[in-house]
Amino acid sequence: MSELVNIAGTGEGCPVCDGAGPFTSDAAAIAHMGQHNARALAWAYLQEKAIVQRILVELDEPGGITAEDEIDELIKEVELVAGESSARRAAPY
């Protein structure tokens, strides 16, 4: 079945909340995520985009990423910045 949730763990959970998922279909994922407010979804999208971009930039550097723990460190780096963001502190998600 062609479903986005089947691509590399996409359906494992919701980018906004912990505990949701795994989703068995795109429709189930959308139904769940649609319950979140737009601000929470926008924040989750921005943070996920930052993680992907940070990893892509590092992959493009000479030597790139050679171990999984390096990816974990990059994710932690982005999460630290996200946690310090004034936009994140401004309103509850």
Side-chain angles (χ1 to χ4, degrees):
M1 173 176 6
S2 295
E3 298 264 350
L4 289 173
V5 295
N6 294 332
I7 298 174
T10 302
E12 289 177 5
C14 174
V16 176
C17 64
D18 293 326
F23 300 109
T24 56
S25 69
D26 291 349
I30 294 299
H32 168 83
M33 290 179 213
Q35 296 174 17
H36 293 292
N37 68 50
R39 187 175 178 91
L41 289 168
W43 180 260
Y45 172 71
L46 182 63
Q47 187 169 335
E48 291 292 319
K49 186 176 181 202
I51 288 170
V52 170
Q53 187 62 31
R54 183 65 186 95
I55 290 170
L56 289 174
V57 166
E58 192 65 27
L59 281 170
D60 199 35
E61 292 294 318
I65 295 172
T66 59
E68 188 174 334
D69 62 328
E70 293 176 37
I71 293 174
D72 292 337
E73 289 301 315
L74 295 173
I75 292 170
K76 287 177 188 174
E77 178 184 302
V78 171
E79 289 174 343
L80 178 66
V81 171
E84 295 174 348
S85 170
S86 60
R88 176 71 174 146
R89 293 188 307 268
Y93 292 88

